[in-house]
Amino acid sequence: MGSVLWPRPGAHVEFDAKGRATGNYGCNRFTAEARLDGDTLTVESGTTTEMGCEPDIQQFEVLLSQAFSGKLTVAAKDDSITLTGAKGGTIALTARPPAPLNGTRWRITTLVSGSIASSLPAGTANKAHLTFGKDGTVQGVLGCNSFRGTADVSGTAIAFGRLVTTRKMCPDPEMRLERALLDVLDGKRTAYAITHHTLSLTAPDGKGLAASAPETKEEGSEG
């Protein structure tokens, strides 16, 4: 019997018609080749980001990446599938629609600079978030100071107006996080994409962020 992998917010996988699997192990993003032949899914090694993660998340990622590889037997039922490896480990996947942009409390988890993704400064996890309103506004917390402003969504881009923020002085890690987020949000036009429960924002200079929506309790994996 495989060991249980407790659900991690943001962990997911998506399959496309070109034989690719993309997703997130819980902290790091990945891509892989995934070929379906009857009830057998063959997952070949791909690429993954290399962010440093908290120890428990790192352990989850190692177990999940090991389980999601090689030849897996597929069993489908209703809106869920179970992948079973040669050694008996299983991954249970349940179909979920993408989280909506508006009304979701997006928790910022990752900073991006070009092709490099990095974790948030030490001690700032779970401190920054943003929420978009249907009235074209955005508000949230940058790590210490709260903010609000306008956000004009058009196609796959969001034009942010100048943000209005509180003016508290905060510890250095929180201020570094705030400066990084302002570089992406304040008066910028960014590209955005939502994959499962993950929001990605990318400014024209390549700076960006990733944020996660709350997960439901039943979402998770086993391996």
Side-chain angles (χ1 to χ4, degrees):
M1 180 181 294
S3 59
V4 173
L5 297 184
W6 295 109
R8 298 302 314 179
H12 68 276
V13 61
E14 291 191 6
F15 302 94
D16 66 20
K18 297 181 180 180
R20 288 192 301 263
T22 60
N24 191 299
Y25 288 131
C27 175
N28 284 286
R29 300 190 303 275
F30 71 88
T31 61
E33 298 298 317
R35 184 176 65 257
L36 182 64
D37 183 10
D39 63 354
T40 300
L41 178 70
T42 302
V43 180
E44 300 179 353
S45 298
T47 62
T48 181
T49 54
E50 298 182 355
M51 290 193 300
C53 313
E54 296 179 5
D56 62 330
I57 300 177
Q58 187 68 46
Q59 180 182 20
F60 176 89
E61 291 206 341
V62 170
L63 293 173
L64 181 55
S65 63
Q66 291 174 344
F68 190 66
S69 64
K71 293 185 180 297
L72 305 170
T73 301
V74 180
K77 182 179 180 180
D78 298 328
D79 62 350
S80 65
I81 62 174
T82 301
L83 306 177
T84 304
K87 296 182 179 180
T90 62
I91 303 173
L93 303 174
T94 302
R96 291 287 184 269
L101 177 66
N102 294 329
T104 299
R105 188 178 187 271
W106 296 102
R107 179 177 59 87
I108 298 169
T109 59
T110 308
L111 298 176
V112 178
S113 181
S115 61
I116 300 174
S118 60
S119 53
L120 304 185
T124 64
N126 301 316
K127 290 191 174 182
H129 60 84
L130 69 164
T131 302
F132 295 90
K134 293 182 180 180
D135 57 354
T137 60
V138 62
Q139 60 182 321
V141 176
L142 296 167
C144 174
N145 285 289
S146 59
F147 75 93
R148 64 183 302 110
T150 59
D152 182 15
V153 181
S154 177
T156 58
I158 302 175
F160 290 94
R162 304 301 299 184
L163 302 183
V164 177
T165 71
T166 55
R167 298 293 183 180
K168 293 188 293 184
M169 292 301 297
C170 311
D172 179 66
E174 295 176 5
M175 294 307 295
R176 284 191 284 116
L177 174 59
E178 292 201 1
R179 287 192 293 269
L181 296 181
L182 288 172
D183 280 344
V184 179
L185 304 175
D186 194 19
K188 301 291 180 65
R189 181 177 178 84
T190 74
Y192 89 94
I194 296 176
T195 305
H196 183 59
H197 282 198
T198 299
L199 168 68
S200 299
L201 295 175
T202 308
D205 61 3
K207 294 181 180 179
L209 61 85
S212 294
E215 300 283 349
T216 57
K217 292 182 179 180
E218 65 268 22
E219 290 182 272
S221 306
E222 293 185 354

PDB file of all heavy atoms in Angstrom, residues 48-81:
ATOM      1  N   THR A  48      11.394  21.017 -14.129  1.00  0.00           N
ATOM      2  CA  THR A  48      10.768  21.551 -12.925  1.00  0.00           C
ATOM      3  C   THR A  48      11.546  22.760 -12.446  1.00  0.00           C
ATOM      4  O   THR A  48      12.748  22.874 -12.712  1.00  0.00           O
ATOM      5  CB  THR A  48      10.711  20.487 -11.797  1.00  0.00           C
ATOM      6  OG1 THR A  48      10.063  21.034 -10.646  1.00  0.00           O
ATOM      7  CG2 THR A  48      12.100  20.021 -11.427  1.00  0.00           C
ATOM      8  N   THR A  49      10.853  23.684 -11.798  1.00  0.00           N
ATOM      9  CA  THR A  49      11.557  24.802 -11.173  1.00  0.00           C
ATOM     10  C   THR A  49      12.304  24.267  -9.950  1.00  0.00           C
ATOM     11  O   THR A  49      12.075  23.139  -9.515  1.00  0.00           O
ATOM     12  CB  THR A  49      10.576  25.915 -10.760  1.00  0.00           C
ATOM     13  OG1 THR A  49       9.545  25.344  -9.923  1.00  0.00           O
ATOM     14  CG2 THR A  49       9.916  26.523 -11.992  1.00  0.00           C
ATOM     15  N   GLU A  50      13.199  25.071  -9.419  1.00  0.00           N
ATOM     16  CA  GLU A  50      14.057  24.588  -8.335  1.00  0.00           C
ATOM     17  C   GLU A  50      14.049  25.539  -7.145  1.00  0.00           C
ATOM     18  O   GLU A  50      15.080  25.890  -6.591  1.00  0.00           O
ATOM     19  CB  GLU A  50      15.480  24.386  -8.848  1.00  0.00           C
ATOM     20  CG  GLU A  50      15.573  23.328  -9.944  1.00  0.00           C
ATOM     21  CD  GLU A  50      16.987  23.094 -10.410  1.00  0.00           C
ATOM     22  OE1 GLU A  50      17.898  23.818  -9.946  1.00  0.00           O
ATOM     23  OE2 GLU A  50      17.196  22.185 -11.235  1.00  0.00           O
ATOM     24  N   MET A  51      12.857  25.937  -6.734  1.00  0.00           N
ATOM     25  CA  MET A  51      12.741  26.786  -5.561  1.00  0.00           C
ATOM     26  C   MET A  51      12.979  25.971  -4.294  1.00  0.00           C
ATOM     27  O   MET A  51      12.618  24.794  -4.224  1.00  0.00           O
ATOM     28  CB  MET A  51      11.360  27.427  -5.481  1.00  0.00           C
ATOM     29  CG  MET A  51      11.086  28.465  -6.525  1.00  0.00           C
ATOM     30  SD  MET A  51       9.594  29.383  -6.084  1.00  0.00           S
ATOM     31  CE  MET A  51       8.373  28.079  -6.034  1.00  0.00           C
ATOM     32  N   GLY A  52      13.565  26.605  -3.296  1.00  0.00           N
ATOM     33  CA  GLY A  52      13.673  25.982  -1.988  1.00  0.00           C
ATOM     34  C   GLY A  52      12.328  26.046  -1.284  1.00  0.00           C
ATOM     35  O   GLY A  52      11.679  27.087  -1.261  1.00  0.00           O
ATOM     36  N   CYS A  53      11.868  24.936  -0.735  1.00  0.00           N
ATOM     37  CA  CYS A  53      10.559  24.859  -0.104  1.00  0.00           C
ATOM     38  C   CYS A  53      10.713  24.436   1.350  1.00  0.00           C
ATOM     39  O   CYS A  53      11.751  23.908   1.747  1.00  0.00           O
ATOM     40  CB  CYS A  53       9.672  23.855  -0.842  1.00  0.00           C
ATOM     41  SG  CYS A  53       9.669  24.049  -2.648  1.00  0.00           S
ATOM     42  N   GLU A  54       9.670  24.633   2.131  1.00  0.00           N
ATOM     43  CA  GLU A  54       9.688  24.195   3.509  1.00  0.00           C
ATOM     44  C   GLU A  54       9.842  22.680   3.555  1.00  0.00           C
ATOM     45  O   GLU A  54       9.394  21.969   2.648  1.00  0.00           O
ATOM     46  CB  GLU A  54       8.398  24.624   4.209  1.00  0.00           C
ATOM     47  CG  GLU A  54       8.244  26.140   4.295  1.00  0.00           C
ATOM     48  CD  GLU A  54       6.954  26.553   4.957  1.00  0.00           C
ATOM     49  OE1 GLU A  54       6.224  25.649   5.442  1.00  0.00           O
ATOM     50  OE2 GLU A  54       6.650  27.741   5.002  1.00  0.00           O
ATOM     51  N   PRO A  55      10.485  22.141   4.614  1.00  0.00           N
ATOM     52  CA  PRO A  55      10.800  20.707   4.660  1.00  0.00           C
ATOM     53  C   PRO A  55       9.619  19.789   4.408  1.00  0.00           C
ATOM     54  O   PRO A  55       9.736  18.805   3.667  1.00  0.00           O
ATOM     55  CB  PRO A  55      11.368  20.530   6.071  1.00  0.00           C
ATOM     56  CG  PRO A  55      11.966  21.853   6.397  1.00  0.00           C
ATOM     57  CD  PRO A  55      11.043  22.866   5.785  1.00  0.00           C
ATOM     58  N   ASP A  56       8.446  20.072   5.008  1.00  0.00           N
ATOM     59  CA  ASP A  56       7.311  19.176   4.811  1.00  0.00           C
ATOM     60  C   ASP A  56       6.806  19.229   3.383  1.00  0.00           C
ATOM     61  O   ASP A  56       6.398  18.207   2.806  1.00  0.00           O
ATOM     62  CB  ASP A  56       6.197  19.490   5.804  1.00  0.00           C
ATOM     63  CG  ASP A  56       5.644  20.895   5.639  1.00  0.00           C
ATOM     64  OD1 ASP A  56       6.407  21.783   5.223  1.00  0.00           O
ATOM     65  OD2 ASP A  56       4.452  21.113   5.928  1.00  0.00           O
ATOM     66  N   ILE A  57       6.848  20.428   2.778  1.00  0.00           N
ATOM     67  CA  ILE A  57       6.429  20.556   1.382  1.00  0.00           C
ATOM     68  C   ILE A  57       7.434  19.859   0.473  1.00  0.00           C
ATOM     69  O   ILE A  57       7.064  19.192  -0.496  1.00  0.00           O
ATOM     70  CB  ILE A  57       6.275  22.033   0.987  1.00  0.00           C
ATOM     71  CG1 ILE A  57       5.221  22.712   1.862  1.00  0.00           C
ATOM     72  CG2 ILE A  57       5.898  22.166  -0.482  1.00  0.00           C
ATOM     73  CD1 ILE A  57       5.055  24.193   1.581  1.00  0.00           C
ATOM     74  N   GLN A  58       8.731  20.001   0.784  1.00  0.00           N
ATOM     75  CA  GLN A  58       9.763  19.350  -0.006  1.00  0.00           C
ATOM     76  C   GLN A  58       9.580  17.830   0.009  1.00  0.00           C
ATOM     77  O   GLN A  58       9.710  17.161  -1.022  1.00  0.00           O
ATOM     78  CB  GLN A  58      11.149  19.710   0.534  1.00  0.00           C
ATOM     79  CG  GLN A  58      12.303  19.222  -0.334  1.00  0.00           C
ATOM     80  CD  GLN A  58      12.360  19.951  -1.663  1.00  0.00           C
ATOM     81  OE1 GLN A  58      12.245  21.171  -1.726  1.00  0.00           O
ATOM     82  NE2 GLN A  58      12.520  19.202  -2.745  1.00  0.00           N
ATOM     83  N   GLN A  59       9.253  17.280   1.176  1.00  0.00           N
ATOM     84  CA  GLN A  59       9.028  15.841   1.282  1.00  0.00           C
ATOM     85  C   GLN A  59       7.832  15.419   0.433  1.00  0.00           C
ATOM     86  O   GLN A  59       7.873  14.400  -0.267  1.00  0.00           O
ATOM     87  CB  GLN A  59       8.804  15.448   2.734  1.00  0.00           C
ATOM     88  CG  GLN A  59       8.571  13.951   2.930  1.00  0.00           C
ATOM     89  CD  GLN A  59       8.295  13.596   4.381  1.00  0.00           C
ATOM     90  OE1 GLN A  59       7.923  14.457   5.175  1.00  0.00           O
ATOM     91  NE2 GLN A  59       8.460  12.330   4.728  1.00  0.00           N
ATOM     92  N   PHE A  60       6.756  16.217   0.490  1.00  0.00           N
ATOM     93  CA  PHE A  60       5.579  15.939  -0.326  1.00  0.00           C
ATOM     94  C   PHE A  60       5.938  15.960  -1.805  1.00  0.00           C
ATOM     95  O   PHE A  60       5.538  15.073  -2.576  1.00  0.00           O
ATOM     96  CB  PHE A  60       4.498  16.974  -0.026  1.00  0.00           C
ATOM     97  CG  PHE A  60       3.272  16.841  -0.897  1.00  0.00           C
ATOM     98  CD1 PHE A  60       2.231  16.032  -0.512  1.00  0.00           C
ATOM     99  CD2 PHE A  60       3.181  17.549  -2.083  1.00  0.00           C
ATOM    100  CE1 PHE A  60       1.095  15.904  -1.311  1.00  0.00           C
ATOM    101  CE2 PHE A  60       2.059  17.428  -2.898  1.00  0.00           C
ATOM    102  CZ  PHE A  60       1.012  16.607  -2.512  1.00  0.00           C
ATOM    103  N   GLU A  61       6.713  16.954  -2.233  1.00  0.00           N
ATOM    104  CA  GLU A  61       7.080  17.076  -3.637  1.00  0.00           C
ATOM    105  C   GLU A  61       7.892  15.881  -4.120  1.00  0.00           C
ATOM    106  O   GLU A  61       7.696  15.383  -5.230  1.00  0.00           O
ATOM    107  CB  GLU A  61       7.860  18.371  -3.871  1.00  0.00           C
ATOM    108  CG  GLU A  61       7.018  19.622  -3.710  1.00  0.00           C
ATOM    109  CD  GLU A  61       7.568  20.780  -4.518  1.00  0.00           C
ATOM    110  OE1 GLU A  61       8.750  20.739  -4.901  1.00  0.00           O
ATOM    111  OE2 GLU A  61       6.804  21.730  -4.779  1.00  0.00           O
ATOM    112  N   VAL A  62       8.836  15.438  -3.303  1.00  0.00           N
ATOM    113  CA  VAL A  62       9.661  14.288  -3.685  1.00  0.00           C
ATOM    114  C   VAL A  62       8.785  13.050  -3.884  1.00  0.00           C
ATOM    115  O   VAL A  62       8.901  12.332  -4.883  1.00  0.00           O
ATOM    116  CB  VAL A  62      10.750  14.024  -2.616  1.00  0.00           C
ATOM    117  CG1 VAL A  62      11.447  12.686  -2.887  1.00  0.00           C
ATOM    118  CG2 VAL A  62      11.772  15.147  -2.619  1.00  0.00           C
ATOM    119  N   LEU A  63       7.871  12.806  -2.932  1.00  0.00           N
ATOM    120  CA  LEU A  63       7.004  11.641  -3.027  1.00  0.00           C
ATOM    121  C   LEU A  63       6.068  11.730  -4.233  1.00  0.00           C
ATOM    122  O   LEU A  63       5.865  10.749  -4.960  1.00  0.00           O
ATOM    123  CB  LEU A  63       6.189  11.488  -1.742  1.00  0.00           C
ATOM    124  CG  LEU A  63       6.976  11.134  -0.479  1.00  0.00           C
ATOM    125  CD1 LEU A  63       6.064  11.187   0.740  1.00  0.00           C
ATOM    126  CD2 LEU A  63       7.607   9.756  -0.602  1.00  0.00           C
ATOM    127  N   LEU A  64       5.507  12.918  -4.461  1.00  0.00           N
ATOM    128  CA  LEU A  64       4.583  13.071  -5.576  1.00  0.00           C
ATOM    129  C   LEU A  64       5.307  12.937  -6.913  1.00  0.00           C
ATOM    130  O   LEU A  64       4.808  12.289  -7.845  1.00  0.00           O
ATOM    131  CB  LEU A  64       3.868  14.416  -5.490  1.00  0.00           C
ATOM    132  CG  LEU A  64       2.833  14.706  -6.590  1.00  0.00           C
ATOM    133  CD1 LEU A  64       1.792  13.599  -6.654  1.00  0.00           C
ATOM    134  CD2 LEU A  64       2.159  16.050  -6.351  1.00  0.00           C
ATOM    135  N   SER A  65       6.498  13.537  -7.045  1.00  0.00           N
ATOM    136  CA  SER A  65       7.239  13.447  -8.303  1.00  0.00           C
ATOM    137  C   SER A  65       7.658  12.009  -8.585  1.00  0.00           C
ATOM    138  O   SER A  65       7.693  11.574  -9.736  1.00  0.00           O
ATOM    139  CB  SER A  65       8.465  14.367  -8.276  1.00  0.00           C
ATOM    140  OG  SER A  65       9.373  13.981  -7.265  1.00  0.00           O
ATOM    141  N   GLN A  66       7.976  11.249  -7.533  1.00  0.00           N
ATOM    142  CA  GLN A  66       8.322   9.844  -7.725  1.00  0.00           C
ATOM    143  C   GLN A  66       7.111   9.029  -8.144  1.00  0.00           C
ATOM    144  O   GLN A  66       7.211   8.127  -8.989  1.00  0.00           O
ATOM    145  CB  GLN A  66       8.923   9.271  -6.439  1.00  0.00           C
ATOM    146  CG  GLN A  66      10.302   9.824  -6.096  1.00  0.00           C
ATOM    147  CD  GLN A  66      10.802   9.348  -4.750  1.00  0.00           C
ATOM    148  OE1 GLN A  66      10.041   8.844  -3.920  1.00  0.00           O
ATOM    149  NE2 GLN A  66      12.099   9.521  -4.503  1.00  0.00           N
ATOM    150  N   ALA A  67       5.948   9.336  -7.559  1.00  0.00           N
ATOM    151  CA  ALA A  67       4.732   8.596  -7.891  1.00  0.00           C
ATOM    152  C   ALA A  67       4.251   8.923  -9.297  1.00  0.00           C
ATOM    153  O   ALA A  67       3.745   8.052 -10.017  1.00  0.00           O
ATOM    154  CB  ALA A  67       3.638   8.906  -6.875  1.00  0.00           C
ATOM    155  N   PHE A  68       4.419  10.193  -9.719  1.00  0.00           N
ATOM    156  CA  PHE A  68       3.948  10.623 -11.042  1.00  0.00           C
ATOM    157  C   PHE A  68       5.069  10.453 -12.064  1.00  0.00           C
ATOM    158  O   PHE A  68       5.594  11.409 -12.617  1.00  0.00           O
ATOM    159  CB  PHE A  68       3.467  12.072 -10.978  1.00  0.00           C
ATOM    160  CG  PHE A  68       2.755  12.523 -12.227  1.00  0.00           C
ATOM    161  CD1 PHE A  68       1.536  11.960 -12.588  1.00  0.00           C
ATOM    162  CD2 PHE A  68       3.282  13.515 -13.026  1.00  0.00           C
ATOM    163  CE1 PHE A  68       0.882  12.367 -13.728  1.00  0.00           C
ATOM    164  CE2 PHE A  68       2.630  13.937 -14.171  1.00  0.00           C
ATOM    165  CZ  PHE A  68       1.430  13.357 -14.528  1.00  0.00           C
ATOM    166  N   SER A  69       5.455   9.228 -12.327  1.00  0.00           N
ATOM    167  CA  SER A  69       6.509   8.924 -13.291  1.00  0.00           C
ATOM    168  C   SER A  69       6.400   7.473 -13.725  1.00  0.00           C
ATOM    169  O   SER A  69       5.810   6.638 -13.018  1.00  0.00           O
ATOM    170  CB  SER A  69       7.894   9.181 -12.681  1.00  0.00           C
ATOM    171  OG  SER A  69       8.140   8.315 -11.596  1.00  0.00           O
ATOM    172  N   GLY A  70       6.933   7.196 -14.897  1.00  0.00           N
ATOM    173  CA  GLY A  70       6.898   5.833 -15.418  1.00  0.00           C
ATOM    174  C   GLY A  70       5.526   5.450 -15.932  1.00  0.00           C
ATOM    175  O   GLY A  70       4.735   6.281 -16.357  1.00  0.00           O
ATOM    176  N   LYS A  71       5.235   4.145 -15.890  1.00  0.00           N
ATOM    177  CA  LYS A  71       3.967   3.635 -16.389  1.00  0.00           C
ATOM    178  C   LYS A  71       2.941   3.570 -15.253  1.00  0.00           C
ATOM    179  O   LYS A  71       3.188   2.931 -14.229  1.00  0.00           O
ATOM    180  CB  LYS A  71       4.159   2.255 -17.022  1.00  0.00           C
ATOM    181  CG  LYS A  71       4.988   2.289 -18.308  1.00  0.00           C
ATOM    182  CD  LYS A  71       5.039   0.929 -18.957  1.00  0.00           C
ATOM    183  CE  LYS A  71       5.853   0.969 -20.239  1.00  0.00           C
ATOM    184  NZ  LYS A  71       5.241   1.873 -21.271  1.00  0.00           N
ATOM    185  N   LEU A  72       1.811   4.218 -15.453  1.00  0.00           N
ATOM    186  CA  LEU A  72       0.757   4.289 -14.454  1.00  0.00           C
ATOM    187  C   LEU A  72      -0.529   3.735 -15.043  1.00  0.00           C
ATOM    188  O   LEU A  72      -0.897   4.050 -16.178  1.00  0.00           O
ATOM    189  CB  LEU A  72       0.538   5.737 -14.014  1.00  0.00           C
ATOM    190  CG  LEU A  72       1.769   6.494 -13.494  1.00  0.00           C
ATOM    191  CD1 LEU A  72       1.442   7.977 -13.344  1.00  0.00           C
ATOM    192  CD2 LEU A  72       2.228   5.914 -12.172  1.00  0.00           C
ATOM    193  N   THR A  73      -1.214   2.924 -14.263  1.00  0.00           N
ATOM    194  CA  THR A  73      -2.512   2.406 -14.687  1.00  0.00           C
ATOM    195  C   THR A  73      -3.594   3.421 -14.340  1.00  0.00           C
ATOM    196  O   THR A  73      -3.635   3.948 -13.218  1.00  0.00           O
ATOM    197  CB  THR A  73      -2.822   1.064 -13.995  1.00  0.00           C
ATOM    198  OG1 THR A  73      -1.802   0.128 -14.327  1.00  0.00           O
ATOM    199  CG2 THR A  73      -4.165   0.519 -14.448  1.00  0.00           C
ATOM    200  N   VAL A  74      -4.465   3.688 -15.305  1.00  0.00           N
ATOM    201  CA  VAL A  74      -5.491   4.711 -15.150  1.00  0.00           C
ATOM    202  C   VAL A  74      -6.854   4.070 -14.909  1.00  0.00           C
ATOM    203  O   VAL A  74      -7.283   3.198 -15.671  1.00  0.00           O
ATOM    204  CB  VAL A  74      -5.563   5.614 -16.400  1.00  0.00           C
ATOM    205  CG1 VAL A  74      -6.641   6.682 -16.232  1.00  0.00           C
ATOM    206  CG2 VAL A  74      -4.212   6.255 -16.685  1.00  0.00           C
ATOM    207  N   ALA A  75      -7.525   4.509 -13.867  1.00  0.00           N
ATOM    208  CA  ALA A  75      -8.904   4.079 -13.599  1.00  0.00           C
ATOM    209  C   ALA A  75      -9.748   5.333 -13.444  1.00  0.00           C
ATOM    210  O   ALA A  75      -9.466   6.176 -12.582  1.00  0.00           O
ATOM    211  CB  ALA A  75      -8.972   3.223 -12.336  1.00  0.00           C
ATOM    212  N   ALA A  76     -10.758   5.490 -14.302  1.00  0.00           N
ATOM    213  CA  ALA A  76     -11.593   6.697 -14.294  1.00  0.00           C
ATOM    214  C   ALA A  76     -12.979   6.387 -13.761  1.00  0.00           C
ATOM    215  O   ALA A  76     -13.553   5.322 -14.017  1.00  0.00           O
ATOM    216  CB  ALA A  76     -11.695   7.268 -15.704  1.00  0.00           C
ATOM    217  N   LYS A  77     -13.526   7.345 -12.978  1.00  0.00           N
ATOM    218  CA  LYS A  77     -14.885   7.228 -12.459  1.00  0.00           C
ATOM    219  C   LYS A  77     -15.448   8.620 -12.256  1.00  0.00           C
ATOM    220  O   LYS A  77     -14.889   9.410 -11.506  1.00  0.00           O
ATOM    221  CB  LYS A  77     -14.915   6.446 -11.143  1.00  0.00           C
ATOM    222  CG  LYS A  77     -16.321   6.259 -10.583  1.00  0.00           C
ATOM    223  CD  LYS A  77     -16.299   5.457  -9.292  1.00  0.00           C
ATOM    224  CE  LYS A  77     -17.709   5.275  -8.747  1.00  0.00           C
ATOM    225  NZ  LYS A  77     -17.707   4.493  -7.475  1.00  0.00           N
ATOM    226  N   ASP A  78     -16.554   8.899 -12.936  1.00  0.00           N
ATOM    227  CA  ASP A  78     -17.193  10.214 -12.855  1.00  0.00           C
ATOM    228  C   ASP A  78     -16.173  11.309 -13.161  1.00  0.00           C
ATOM    229  O   ASP A  78     -15.575  11.296 -14.229  1.00  0.00           O
ATOM    230  CB  ASP A  78     -17.832  10.401 -11.478  1.00  0.00           C
ATOM    231  CG  ASP A  78     -18.922   9.373 -11.200  1.00  0.00           C
ATOM    232  OD1 ASP A  78     -19.590   8.958 -12.159  1.00  0.00           O
ATOM    233  OD2 ASP A  78     -19.079   8.984 -10.035  1.00  0.00           O
ATOM    234  N   ASP A  79     -15.938  12.242 -12.215  1.00  0.00           N
ATOM    235  CA  ASP A  79     -15.019  13.356 -12.471  1.00  0.00           C
ATOM    236  C   ASP A  79     -13.667  13.147 -11.804  1.00  0.00           C
ATOM    237  O   ASP A  79     -12.940  14.097 -11.540  1.00  0.00           O
ATOM    238  CB  ASP A  79     -15.619  14.681 -12.006  1.00  0.00           C
ATOM    239  CG  ASP A  79     -15.886  14.710 -10.503  1.00  0.00           C
ATOM    240  OD1 ASP A  79     -15.785  13.644  -9.870  1.00  0.00           O
ATOM    241  OD2 ASP A  79     -16.189  15.799  -9.976  1.00  0.00           O
ATOM    242  N   SER A  80     -13.309  11.888 -11.548  1.00  0.00           N
ATOM    243  CA  SER A  80     -12.022  11.615 -10.901  1.00  0.00           C
ATOM    244  C   SER A  80     -11.307  10.466 -11.594  1.00  0.00           C
ATOM    245  O   SER A  80     -11.942   9.626 -12.253  1.00  0.00           O
ATOM    246  CB  SER A  80     -12.219  11.279  -9.416  1.00  0.00           C
ATOM    247  OG  SER A  80     -12.945  10.071  -9.283  1.00  0.00           O
ATOM    248  N   ILE A  81      -9.985  10.447 -11.483  1.00  0.00           N
ATOM    249  CA  ILE A  81      -9.187   9.340 -11.988  1.00  0.00           C
ATOM    250  C   ILE A  81      -8.178   8.951 -10.918  1.00  0.00           C
ATOM    251  O   ILE A  81      -7.762   9.778 -10.103  1.00  0.00           O
ATOM    252  CB  ILE A  81      -8.459   9.670 -13.306  1.00  0.00           C
ATOM    253  CG1 ILE A  81      -7.473  10.824 -13.117  1.00  0.00           C
ATOM    254  CG2 ILE A  81      -9.443   9.974 -14.417  1.00  0.00           C
ATOM    255  CD1 ILE A  81      -6.619  11.091 -14.345  1.00  0.00           C
TER     256      ILE A  81
END
